[in-house]
Structure formats: structure tokens, C-alpha cells
Amino acid sequence: LWVEQWLGCARQLGHWDMLSEYARMTDNHEIAVDCLWRLSDWQSLKDTLNNKAQLDEGVSTLMTRAYLALQEGDVTNGDMRTAQAMDAALRRWWQLPPVGCTPQLPLLQVFQQLVELKESVRIMYDLANGNHVSNHPFADMREIMESWRLRQPNEWESPLHWQDLLLWRNQIHNVVINAFSNAEYVGPQLHQLGYKEKAWSVNRLAAIMTIHGCTDSALTVLNTMYGYSVMEMQEAFVKIREQAKAYLDRQNELQAGANILATSNLDYFQPHHQSEVFRLKGMFQQALDDSLEAHTSFSTSLCLWKQNADAWLAWGQHCDRSYEAACQQAAAYQQQLATAAVQKVPPPPPPSAPLQPSNYLEYAVYCYLQGVRFGSAQARGMLPRVLRLLSFDNDAAGAGVGVVGAQLDRNAPDLPLWVWFLWIPQLLASLQRAEAKHAKPLLAALAVAYPQSVYYSLRTYLLSMREGALKASQELARAKARAAEERTEYAPDAARLAEISAFELGKEVMEVLRQKNPQLGVTLEQILQDIGSKFAPRSEERLLSVVTALLHRCYKVAFSGQADVPQPLRQELAGVCKACLQGDSRSSANGSDGRGGGLGHGALREAFVRDMSPSEPTFPKSLGDLAESLKSWRNRLQAELDDKMPGQLWLEEECRTLSELIQRGGASSTGSVEPVEMPGQYLSGTEIGADGVVLLEAISCNVAIVRRHSSSYRRLVLWGSNGHPRHMLVQTGQNWAQGTTDERVVQLMRLLNRLLDAQPRARSRLMAYHTPLVVPVWPQVRMLEEDPSFCSYGEAYDAYCARYGREGDTPISHFKTRCAEEGGSIPKDVALEKRLQTYQEVCQQMVSENVFSQYIYKTLPTCNHLWVFKKSLCLQMALSGLLCHMLLVGGRSPNKILYAKDSGRIFQSDFMPVYNERGQLEKMEQVPFRLTRNLVTFFNSFGVEGIFATAMMNAASAIVAKDSNSQHVLAMFFRDDIVAWAARRSGKIGFVAGMRNETLKALVIVNVRKTLERVRGVAPDVPKEDTLPTAPVAAGVLDLIEAATHPSNLCRMEPTWHPWF
């Protein structure tokens, strides 16, 4: 195994001379053949192929024979060998499974090489024909070489595949150069064609090696592979640029890279090339801690070419670093002054700085925005940094003039509006903060140009803020009247004024939207009103959900079944029974459609109150009796729903107005037609042109009823103008705080996907978080995109219990009974041996380790589907586990893990970080993520130690990569999440004004730093050059897996977490 790994690494790095020596010493002819054609040792290759009969005549050998024949000029033989290799490859293709893409990828790469071999034959024929015909146009050869530039592998594909293609192209380029060596005979264009194409291939291969982190191989390619002294000016510039990029990633050789740029003659370069060279000079000077010279180089770069977006970005990052350094220097000087005052000594002289921190801050924001203006994707990745500076540093460093906001107001009109699509939630949150006056113009511009991108979030924002703003206005009015009566000076409460202002600013943006699109506002309002009111679960379904929640609370309390019912649980039951009694009057007023505010129909409510009310004599005496009674009610309600409720509803019966509205193309009551766009399409944050907008054409007539863990939802199918359906789950009764947290987490995962896409090792493994669309309807109602193939992890256990006639809650009751004391209470410090023994009893007697495996085996149709699903689910669980570890999110019970049976994608519901009293993330559980015995059995050791560990390491590496913006993305996530956490603690819904900005900034910095520290602990610890590793590269992730799977940690989990499953 180690030899195979070493051989694979050597191939990826292009160490063909070393591999050739290894093949010679071990007499391995297959490796020798693989190396010799890449080393252009054609005579040795010919001897090996002709004299070694034990070579397998497979696709690789046949292709090598074709290479050799074409190199020798035997075009007919080369064409024949290529055809044989194509036949062999097609036979292998038909042996592959029909599902998945991983087995097909290597063979698709082989097909590309075979296609280029056929094209090489055509080039050879074209060259041969041109020798006999004067003024031959060589059109076939020109077309093929032009297509070679366009037909490139993906950047994240293996460097070995890039080498196989470009090394062979290099051989063809040599043939073309030799054929057109006489410039006077063939003309300058044909004479330079081979040189130009070869230089382009060499530079491209070096760039790919640098992207994959193989800088040593990149420099070797640039220095040795071209082999000619003549090079076109464009490609000469690219060579210098790629050399500089390679040296930038080699910390020990920075000066060598700087010397290459310093000795380059720029007189022959175009201004935009000269600008790029000076940008690279600034990067080297920055890396070498020469800050002033770096500023000069960046300035020179932009003087030469103002549209250089990369230079704007680099200068902005350098100014940003200078700002941070100046702030640290100023803080250190203030500390020195305080120390001098305490010690009563003369104060130290102030530090000498070229500019004030506010100047650096202003320049950094300006450069970032200019980079966005000129189309830099990396500059767009710095927008969260701009928003962070706007929130916390707008008046920093004593400037007091709002330098960040001033730059944003001045430059924002020049930016494309679509760059703000992804940050609409942050802009809405900024309306509640001091930077509201800078966020409002951006939202207003979006409301005018892209009204449906902001309407849903803005409407829900206003609904959540309306009640608080109204109460604040009434309180201020009463305070003003009281002050007038008492003839005292009226001092309005600043917090109340801020709450009113936040609502009024959002209302002004909505007024702008409705003034520009009056009929659209009416249409969207009618659609959302219908969705929010007509697709709520019926009263029996809500009662079943409440009963299930109460049963879960019984299992959560730290008492066994013999204990009395705790007082908090009695109070909850009293509140539920009160709601049932209040529902009688409401249901009689609302009719008998089942959508009233009560829980269940009249007779059902009366029976439930009679059994569950603490004031009734029939109320259960013990916690165990209460649990049994709740289970009886749960089974009764489930049976009643199964008998009375259909499997699906009809849209025309449930909401006829919505059906007619969509069928008319969004016609409003006034008769005008406004096209309604597909909700949520702007959440991706990508540019959407006029032709790319997907309109909502229809809603499917079938409305599915989805029951999951005793909760009921309605699933709508929205059909777009592109012909693709979107399955949207209408979730009602949502907590507003939980809903906004889910939106933030999905947005965070969407941003992390961009980092994964930028990392070749993650992208090649198809690593990406599943990010469904979340469209708010009301503060308590939302539409969540969910494919019908999604189900919960706990359904496998429910099916297991139903199959064998077992009670699913028996392990929980057994665990609590065995761990309880004589009085029925379960202390927190139960002996580990007792918990471990009980956990092992449940594992051995009640829940086997292959419950999930057997469920999946019976669900998926073939072994091929099983293999694809297993790999995808393992990879998705790794990504989910990393996010749980990052944010210290717990509570991953089986019913909160949703997965798609057709693809293995995962979505975690109720994914909410937990903060302690100091506002910092707190670890609440013994395990970092869920990797219980049933999952380990399903993945097996190869999946856990291979796919799971590797995926988690690669994802962590992408998050903490050198050019990652994860620090700024996490800062915006924590800014809004901590504010929401403080609002929940204060009892408010959507606003909190009590937290000082300095306190919030400190909490954000601490949480971001600790989060990234946890991620760095998972990322592979790669030792420096010429040093031996002190620990395994995967030590961090292996420790996490050990902690997640060890029985001593699992037994300390809550029984409702189902650690045995």
C-alpha cells in the first residue's frame, strides 16, 4: 500500500525520472513504459515495447504504441493503434455501472486523450500533404490547435491528467516547429505557430501545478520544458507571472521570486502586463515585510492600468493589514501611556506612522469596492469584510466621520447591484444598527431594479418588527404626555427610538418597491397570504404535534418513570389544556374546516383536557403514567389521521384563488399582469440576466401531505419557466428565532461551498453542502425546498420497531430506570460505569448495529445505487460533522438529520449554535458530531477512515486556506447570530438595542478566532520542507472520530439522542 501511495504521489508531481529509475531497479516494465514516453526517451521505449512480451495490451499500452508510432512518423500504424485503443476503451465503458459518475471519470479522461491522438493523426496528414502542395492553408491543423486551447480539463482535475494531455501536445508542437522551421518559405505566422502553442501549453501546465500546490513541479516545467530561446511577448509575460506565483507560495524562496521580477525588462510589455508585474512586486514586498515599497508598487501598478481588479484587491488587502497593524500599535501605545501614568514616569514618544489608521481604513474600503467594480470574484469575496468594517469600524481610530460609510455611499452606485443579492439579510439586519443610513440606499436600489429579490425577506422583517415598533411608539407617547403633565423635560428612550427607526426605514424601502411595482406588490402579497393561511396543518395534526413534543419533554426531564410529574411539565400541560378550551369558541366562530386556532375537534379536545389537565382527578400520578398516557394519545391521533386524512390534497379545493392567480400568469385583482418570479432564485448570489430569470408558471394541482416525527406539512410543487419543478415544504408554527438561524446557517453553508469549489482536492471529490432554498412567508411560516426523496435518519429505527412489534421508546425508559436513584431522580453525575453498562445493555439486547444498513439495503434497488449512496452519504456526514464541530452544535437526534435516498444529500434541521452567559459558543455534548454505531457499520472502516476522514480534512483545509475569506464570512454570521441570541434572552422578537457595539465586536472576534482554531485542528498538519512530521497528518480528525465513536462518550449522551442508534 505504501509503495502504491508513493508511486501515485510521484506521478502527480511529475517525477518521471525518479519513477523510471525505480522501474529499472524493480524490473517493472509497465511503470517503465509509463515513464519513458513522458521523458521522450523513444529508443528505450521502443526496446521495452518490442522485447517485453509480458506487457498487457490494454488501453494504456495501445496508446503508448500509438505515441511511439506517431513520433517515428508512422502515421498509418499510429492511426491503427489509436483505433484499437478506442475499441478497448469502449469495451471497458460498457462494463461500468449505469449510475454514479466516479467510475466513469478516469475513462472519460482516457477518451479525451484518444480524441487528441486522432487529431494528432490528422495534423500529421495535413503536414505531409502541405509538403507537396504550394500555398497549402493548413486549415485542419490550425483548427485543431485552436480547439486544443479551448478543450482543457477542469482546473480541479488531477495534475496527472493535465500532464498526459499537455506533454503529448508538446510532442506535436515540436513536430510543427520542425516542419515550419524555414520562416522565409512558410511565412511568419506558420513559423511562430508551434512556438506560440508550445509556450502556451507549458505556461498552462505550470499554472495548474501551482493551483494544486505543486510549486516545485511548476518551476521545473517553466525552466526545462519549453527548450527554445524564442517566445512570443504575451507568453513571456505569462511565464514570468507563473514563476512569480510559484515563488510566492514558497516562503523560503521569496527573494528569488522578487529578483526575477526586478530583472525583467518591462519595456516590451503592454501597460496591463506592466501593471500586473508591479502588482506581483508589491505582493513580494508585502511578504518580505517591506510595507512602504509595497504601497509604492501597488500605486504604480494602478497608475499603469486602472482597470486591474487584482491590483485593487491586493492594495486593499495591504491597506487592511496596515490598518490592523496601526490599530494594534495605537492600542499598545495607549497601554504604555497608562503604565507610565501609574509609574509616574515621563510618557514615551508617540509611534511614527506614515498615515493614521482611519486613512488606511478608508483606502482599504475604496480599493475593495473598486476591485468589485472591475469584476474581481475575489474582491466580491471581500464584501463581508466591508460590511464588517461598516458595522464595527465605521467611526474607528478616532476619525468620527464614518469613513467606511462615506466610501460605500460614494462608490456603491458604480457597483453592479447583483453583488448584494447574497447579503440582503445582512443589509436588513443593518437597518437596526448605526449603519442603517448606509444600508438603506442599497436596499432601495435593489427594490427598484430587482424587487422580487428583496420582497420576501423585507416583508417578513417588517411583520416581525411591526408589533415592537407600535409598542415603542405608544410608550414614547405616554412618556411624553406624562412629562407634559408633570412639566418636566422630556428625554425619549434611545432604544425605543432606534426600534421605531429600524421599522420606519424598512417601511420606506417597501414603499419604494410598491411605488415602482404597484401591481407586483399586490400579487405577491396575495400569494403569500394564501400560502401562509391555506396550507397550515389541521387541528388534529397540531394536537398530535403537541402531544409528541410533550412526550419528548417527559423523556428529557432528569427523572425516571417512578417520580412525580415535575412542576414545569405540569405548567406546560395546563397551558396546552387552556389552549384546547379556548379553541372551542374559536372553532365555532371559524367554522369546522379544521384550521381554527384550537387543537383538535370539540370532542377530542374535551377528552384530551379530561385526561391531561393537572386540575382533573384523572391526571396521571407519576411521570411514567403520564408518558404512557401521552403515548396512548399519540397512537390514537395517528390512527385517526390515517383514517380521515388523505395522502394528498387538491390545490383547487384548498386554495382556488392561488390556483387561478398562477394560471393567469400572476394577474392581480385589477386585471393587470405581473410576472411572478420563482422564489429564492436570487439567494445564490450570482448574476442573473434578463434571460436567466425563471418565472413561476404554475403550482402543481397535487398538494402532498408530509408527516414526519408526528409533525405535518404541506408540499407545494412550483413549476418554473425553465421546465424544472421546485418542491417547497410549507412549514408553519416556526419559531422566528429558529427560522432566521436556519437561514443564516444555510447562507453560511452556501458561502463555504464557494471555498470548497476553490480547493481542487475538495472540488474533485464533489464536496458541497446541500443548501436548500428558504423563503420566508410570515415570521412563523416559511417555505423550505425539499425533494420528495428526503426522509429522516430516525425513520429507519421506526421501521425496525414496527417490523418487530417493538416500542421505540423502550430503550429510553430502560436507560432512565437503570440510571435513576431510589426517589426517581437522575443526577447529572451518574457514575460512568453505570451509564456505560446500561448503554451496552441497550446495544446488546434492544438495538442492533445494522438497523440502518438493513433499512437502506431494502430501500435501494441495486448494489450500484447502494455504492453511490453510501459514498455520498459518508461524504455529506463528514461535511455536516465538520460544521457541527466548528459551531459546537449539538442535539443531532435521529429525527433532525434528513437525507435524500436518491443522492445522499443531508440537511440538518434545528441547527442552532448555543452560547454561554458570556456570549461565546459553548460545547454542550461529549461528542463533536453524530457518528454512532449504526452509521459506522453502514460506512464500514473503509468509509470512516477513508472517505469520512479525508473529506473532513479537505474541507477544513479549504476553509482555512491562504486566500480564504472564512474569517469575514464567520464574522457576519456571528454578528447577526449573537444579536439574535441577545434578543431571545431579552424577550424581543427581532430587535435588540441593549448590546453596545464594542461588546458585540469583541464577542465576534473571540468566536471567530476560536471557530477557526477548531477548524485548523482538523486540517492536515503539513510539516515544513526538510522536516519530519511529529504526528500523523490526520491526527486532528482521527481524534474527533475517536471521540465521536467511543462508548464512554456515547453513554454520557441524553437517551433522547439515541446514542445506541
Side-chain angles (χ1 to χ4, degrees):
L1 179 61
W2 285 106
V3 172
E4 290 295 329
Q5 291 292 327
W6 180 83
L7 291 174
C9 291
R11 288 190 177 97
Q12 298 288 341
L13 295 171
H15 294 169
W16 302 111
D17 48 355
M18 185 188 304
L19 284 172
S20 180
E21 181 65 20
Y22 170 81
R24 186 187 63 81
M25 295 177 62
T26 59
D27 202 23
N28 192 320
H29 304 300
E30 292 183 0
I31 296 179
V33 169
D34 206 27
C35 299
L36 290 174
W37 79 265
R38 294 180 172 89
L39 294 173
S40 300
D41 192 352
W42 301 107
Q43 185 59 45
S44 300
L45 177 62
K46 183 177 180 180
D47 296 339
T48 304
L49 288 175
N50 293 337
N51 299 331
K52 308 299 181 184
Q54 63 269 34
L55 286 174
D56 180 25
E57 291 293 326
V59 178
S60 178
T61 305
L62 291 171
M63 288 174 60
T64 306
R65 292 187 183 276
Y67 292 146
L68 178 61
L70 292 178
Q71 179 65 27
E72 293 179 340
D74 189 354
V75 183
T76 303
N77 187 27
D79 194 11
M80 181 189 68
R81 295 294 187 181
T82 303
Q84 292 174 353
M86 183 71 75
D87 291 339
L90 287 173
R91 284 194 295 269
R92 285 178 52 188
W93 177 266
W94 288 111
Q95 296 173 2
L96 294 177
V99 296
C101 63
T102 303
Q104 286 81 359
L105 287 178
L107 202 51
L108 288 173
Q109 295 172 350
V110 170
F111 280 127
Q112 182 175 0
Q113 298 176 44
L114 289 170
V115 168
E116 298 201 357
L117 261 175
K118 295 289 289 184
E119 292 173 338
S120 301
V121 171
R122 290 168 55 192
I123 290 176
M124 302 285 278
Y125 276 127
D126 202 16
L127 290 175
N129 294 333
N131 292 333
H132 305 290
V133 180
S134 59
N135 298 326
H136 188 67
F138 296 100
D140 208 8
M141 182 193 67
R142 292 173 184 268
E143 180 184 352
I144 290 172
M145 290 209 167
E146 183 178 350
S147 66
W148 279 2
R149 283 204 181 197
L150 301 176
R151 190 201 303 135
Q152 303 177 54
N154 298 306
E155 289 187 349
W156 60 84
E157 290 191 55
S158 166
L160 179 60
H161 179 46
W162 278 89
Q163 292 179 68
D164 290 344
L165 284 177
L166 297 183
L167 286 177
W168 175 246
R169 291 183 186 181
N170 187 51
Q171 301 295 332
I172 298 300
H173 295 150
N174 289 337
V175 173
V176 175
I177 290 172
N178 294 331
F180 300 140
S181 59
N182 191 342
E184 296 180 359
Y185 177 73
V186 299
Q189 290 186 349
L190 288 176
H191 177 69
Q192 292 293 330
L193 180 62
Y195 295 107
K196 187 190 334 183
E197 296 300 326
K198 180 171 184 178
W200 181 88
S201 296
V202 171
N203 292 333
R204 186 61 180 151
L205 179 57
I208 293 300
M209 300 301 266
T210 302
I211 290 174
H212 284 263
C214 308
T215 55
D216 188 33
S217 301
L219 293 173
T220 302
V221 167
L222 290 170
N223 294 329
T224 62
M225 189 172 169
Y226 184 65
Y228 294 97
S229 59
V230 179
M231 184 178 288
E232 190 186 34
M233 195 56 60
Q234 166 74 20
E235 299 304 331
F237 159 74
V238 175
K239 178 181 178 181
I240 294 174
R241 184 186 65 190
E242 296 305 329
Q243 283 179 318
K245 287 183 177 180
Y247 278 114
L248 270 175
D249 290 338
R250 301 173 69 84
Q251 296 297 319
N252 297 331
E253 302 180 27
L254 291 173
Q255 192 60 52
N259 292 339
I260 290 177
L261 295 176
T263 56
S264 299
N265 188 357
L266 306 183
D267 296 338
Y268 299 101
F269 290 157
Q270 297 293 325
H272 59 282
H273 291 164
Q274 296 176 358
S275 173
E276 182 66 11
V277 171
F278 274 100
R279 181 190 74 87
L280 292 170
K281 281 186 179 180
M283 299 289 288
F284 277 101
Q285 290 159 351
Q286 175 183 283
L288 294 170
D289 294 329
D290 193 350
S291 179
L292 294 179
E293 289 298 324
H295 281 293
T296 303
S297 296
F298 290 135
S299 175
T300 305
S301 173
L302 291 168
C303 288
L304 291 169
W305 190 43
K306 189 178 180 181
Q307 289 78 21
N308 191 343
D310 292 337
W312 283 115
L313 173 62
W315 200 6
Q317 290 175 328
H318 187 62
C319 291
D320 204 344
R321 292 189 183 94
S322 300
Y323 166 69
E324 296 289 347
C327 289
Q328 293 176 3
Q329 192 177 30
Y333 179 66
Q334 293 298 325
Q335 183 66 30
Q336 292 175 1
L337 290 179
T339 304
V342 172
Q343 298 178 354
K344 298 181 179 180
V345 297
S352 59
L355 295 172
Q356 294 297 319
S358 59
N359 299 125
Y360 286 123
L361 177 62
E362 182 179 7
Y363 299 158
V365 174
Y366 177 77
C367 291
Y368 286 149
L369 296 179
Q370 290 299 311
V372 175
R373 175 189 175 189
F374 291 115
S376 171
Q378 288 184 327
R380 292 196 294 272
M382 299 306 293
L383 284 178
R385 174 62 175 170
V386 173
L387 294 177
R388 176 184 181 181
L389 293 173
L390 180 65
S391 295
F392 300 128
D393 295 51
N394 194 26
D395 298 320
V401 293
V403 293
V404 180
Q407 287 296 331
L408 187 61
D409 294 341
R410 188 179 303 117
N411 294 281
D414 297 329
L415 306 183
L417 283 174
W418 64 266
V419 303
W420 301 108
F421 286 164
L422 194 58
W423 307 105
I424 288 175
Q426 281 69 31
L427 293 175
L428 287 173
S430 294
L431 293 180
Q432 308 175 33
R433 300 173 49 80
E435 66 269 18
K437 60 181 180 180
H438 307 294
K440 180 195 167 186
L442 297 175
L443 290 169
L446 286 169
V448 172
Y450 302 95
Q452 299 189 52
S453 69
V454 72
Y455 181 82
Y456 300 96
S457 300
L458 178 60
R459 177 181 179 273
T460 309
Y461 168 85
L462 290 175
L463 291 175
S464 65
M465 298 286 296
R466 182 172 58 186
E467 183 178 355
L470 180 61
K471 290 182 179 179
S473 299
Q474 294 172 351
E475 291 180 7
L476 289 179
R478 287 194 296 267
K480 186 176 182 179
R482 189 164 50 251
E485 292 177 359
E486 299 175 357
R487 296 182 180 181
T488 58
E489 184 179 357
Y490 171 62
D493 187 356
R496 296 289 178 265
L497 289 176
E499 194 166 359
I500 297 173
S501 175
F503 175 75
E504 291 298 328
L505 289 173
K507 189 176 179 181
E508 292 173 8
V509 175
M510 181 61 80
E511 290 175 355
V512 170
L513 187 151
R514 287 176 173 163
Q515 287 175 0
K516 294 294 182 179
N517 307 275
Q519 300 304 328
L520 178 63
V522 174
T523 302
L524 292 177
E525 184 67 27
Q526 183 177 352
I527 291 175
L528 294 181
Q529 285 285 351
D530 290 339
I531 291 176
S533 60
K534 301 297 185 181
F535 299 100
R538 306 199 176 194
S539 55
E540 293 86 351
E541 295 173 293
R542 288 197 297 272
L543 181 58
L544 174 60
S545 179
V546 170
V547 168
T548 305
L550 290 172
L551 181 59
H552 186 73
R553 287 281 292 115
C554 289
Y555 292 139
K556 288 284 287 184
V557 296
F559 294 94
S560 66
Q562 293 79 18
D564 295 335
V565 180
Q567 188 62 30
L569 195 55
R570 287 175 175 269
Q571 294 175 356
E572 288 188 36
L573 284 166
V576 171
C577 294
K578 182 179 179 181
C580 289
L581 293 175
Q582 291 175 349
D584 284 331
S585 58
R586 283 200 296 267
S587 61
S588 60
N590 296 336
S592 58
D593 62 346
R595 291 195 185 91
L599 299 171
H601 55 75
L604 199 66
R605 281 195 294 269
E606 293 177 1
F608 181 80
V609 171
R610 187 167 53 252
D611 290 347
M612 292 291 114
S613 176
S615 59
E616 295 290 336
T618 56
F619 184 73
K621 303 301 182 182
S622 67
L623 189 62
D625 295 338
L626 177 61
E628 291 297 326
S629 181
L630 288 172
K631 282 193 284 187
S632 174
W633 269 101
R634 181 187 63 183
N635 298 335
R636 174 182 174 182
L637 290 169
Q638 286 179 342
E640 184 169 340
L641 288 175
D642 291 339
D643 292 339
K644 294 184 178 180
M645 288 290 292
Q648 64 180 17
L649 305 173
W650 295 101
L651 178 64
E652 190 169 335
E653 296 177 357
E654 295 297 311
C655 185
R656 188 178 184 85
T657 57
L658 183 61
S659 174
E660 295 176 351
L661 181 71
I662 300 301
Q663 289 175 3
R664 293 197 304 266
S668 64
S669 57
T670 60
S672 63
V673 176
E674 291 286 349
V676 178
E677 299 173 359
M678 181 69 75
Q681 62 183 303
Y682 295 96
L683 294 177
S684 62
T686 56
E687 182 178 8
I688 300 178
D691 298 336
V693 176
V694 180
L695 300 180
L696 178 61
E697 288 199 341
I699 297 180
S700 178
C701 60
N702 298 326
V703 180
I705 298 177
V706 180
R707 293 199 187 98
R708 182 177 297 145
H709 192 48
S710 300
S711 297
S712 295
Y713 309 104
R714 307 293 185 259
R715 180 185 287 124
L716 301 176
V717 183
L718 311 183
W719 287 91
S721 56
N722 58 355
H724 295 165
R726 285 197 181 275
H727 302 267
M728 307 296 288
L729 211 62
V730 182
Q731 296 183 333
T732 60
Q734 296 291 310
N735 180 277
W736 166 244
Q738 178 61 52
T740 55
T741 301
D742 286 342
E743 292 181 40
R744 277 192 297 274
V745 171
V746 171
Q747 182 194 38
L748 176 63
M749 292 192 294
R750 194 172 285 120
L751 292 165
L752 292 180
N753 281 343
R754 297 188 174 189
L755 300 179
L756 295 175
D757 288 343
Q759 177 69 267
R761 290 185 296 275
R763 184 67 181 272
S764 63
R765 290 174 170 83
L766 306 178
M767 294 170 56
Y769 288 97
H770 172 56
T771 54
L773 299 180
V774 182
V775 180
V777 178
W778 289 344
Q780 294 80 26
V781 183
R782 69 180 183 186
M783 289 192 294
L784 174 68
E785 184 183 15
E786 183 183 285
D787 194 82
S789 64
F790 271 86
C791 64
S792 71
Y793 175 60
E795 287 184 18
Y797 179 69
D798 296 337
Y800 168 79
C801 294
R803 180 182 181 186
Y804 293 101
R806 299 178 180 178
E807 179 63 50
D809 301 332
T810 302
I812 301 177
S813 303
H814 177 76
F815 192 91
K816 294 182 67 174
T817 302
R818 294 278 283 112
C819 294
E821 295 180 342
E822 292 184 2
S825 62
I826 304 176
K828 293 183 178 180
D829 55 347
V830 178
L832 177 62
E833 293 78 7
K834 191 174 184 180
R835 297 184 72 99
L836 182 59
Q837 181 182 358
T838 307
Y839 167 79
Q840 291 173 345
E841 289 176 0
V842 174
C843 293
Q844 294 171 3
Q845 302 173 10
M846 300 181 184
V847 183
S848 67
E849 62 183 8
N850 58 1
V851 173
F852 185 68
S853 300
Q854 294 296 327
Y855 177 77
I856 296 298
Y857 294 161
K858 291 178 172 58
T859 301
L860 300 181
T862 65
C863 295
N864 293 329
H865 291 82
L866 175 64
W867 185 89
V868 174
F869 173 82
K870 182 180 294 188
K871 181 177 181 180
S872 177
L873 184 69
C874 187
L875 188 146
Q876 287 283 306
M877 285 298 294
L879 293 176
S880 177
L882 177 63
L883 194 61
C884 290
H885 178 60
M886 280 176 56
L887 303 179
L888 299 181
V889 174
R892 298 301 89 205
S893 59
N895 292 303
K896 293 182 180 180
I897 300 177
L898 307 178
Y899 67 92
K901 294 180 181 179
D902 60 348
S903 63
R905 293 172 299 170
I906 283 181
F907 178 70
Q908 302 268 8
S909 63
D910 299 338
F911 200 88
M912 181 178 287
V914 178
Y915 299 89
N916 58 20
E917 294 296 325
R918 296 175 297 170
Q920 299 180 16
L921 289 178
E922 184 176 16
K923 184 178 180 180
M924 304 297 293
E925 297 177 347
Q926 297 296 325
V927 296
F929 44 79
R930 188 176 191 96
L931 189 61
T932 45
R933 51 200 292 266
N934 266 266
L935 289 173
V936 172
T937 302
F938 180 65
F939 297 148
N940 64 51
S941 59
F942 296 102
V944 174
E945 298 177 8
I947 298 174
F948 190 95
T950 305
M952 188 174 285
M953 285 192 298
N954 283 305
S957 297
I959 293 173
V960 296
K962 179 181 177 182
D963 298 328
S964 168
N965 67 339
S966 57
Q967 178 183 359
H968 314 309
V969 168
L970 287 171
M972 296 311 299
F973 172 81
F974 283 119
R975 186 201 73 170
D976 296 341
D977 207 55
I978 292 174
V979 167
W981 164 77
R984 291 195 299 271
R985 295 185 68 196
S986 63
K988 292 186 177 293
I989 296 179
F991 185 84
V992 58
M995 182 176 292
R996 297 173 62 244
N997 205 37
E998 295 79 6
T999 304
L1000 179 59
K1001 180 180 179 180
L1003 291 177
V1004 168
I1005 292 175
V1006 170
N1007 282 295
V1008 169
R1009 177 176 55 81
K1010 292 186 176 181
T1011 299
L1012 291 179
E1013 286 177 358
R1014 287 190 291 271
V1015 178
R1016 291 190 185 97
V1018 180
D1021 186 12
V1022 181
K1024 297 181 180 180
E1025 292 187 23
D1026 302 328
T1027 58
L1028 295 175
T1030 57
V1033 175
V1037 68
L1038 293 178
D1039 291 342
L1040 289 178
I1041 292 175
E1042 175 66 19
T1045 57
H1046 203 279
S1048 62
N1049 290 332
L1050 290 172
C1051 71
R1052 285 186 277 184
M1053 298 298 296
E1054 292 289 336
T1056 53
W1057 196 79
H1058 290 271
W1060 38 80
F1061 178 62

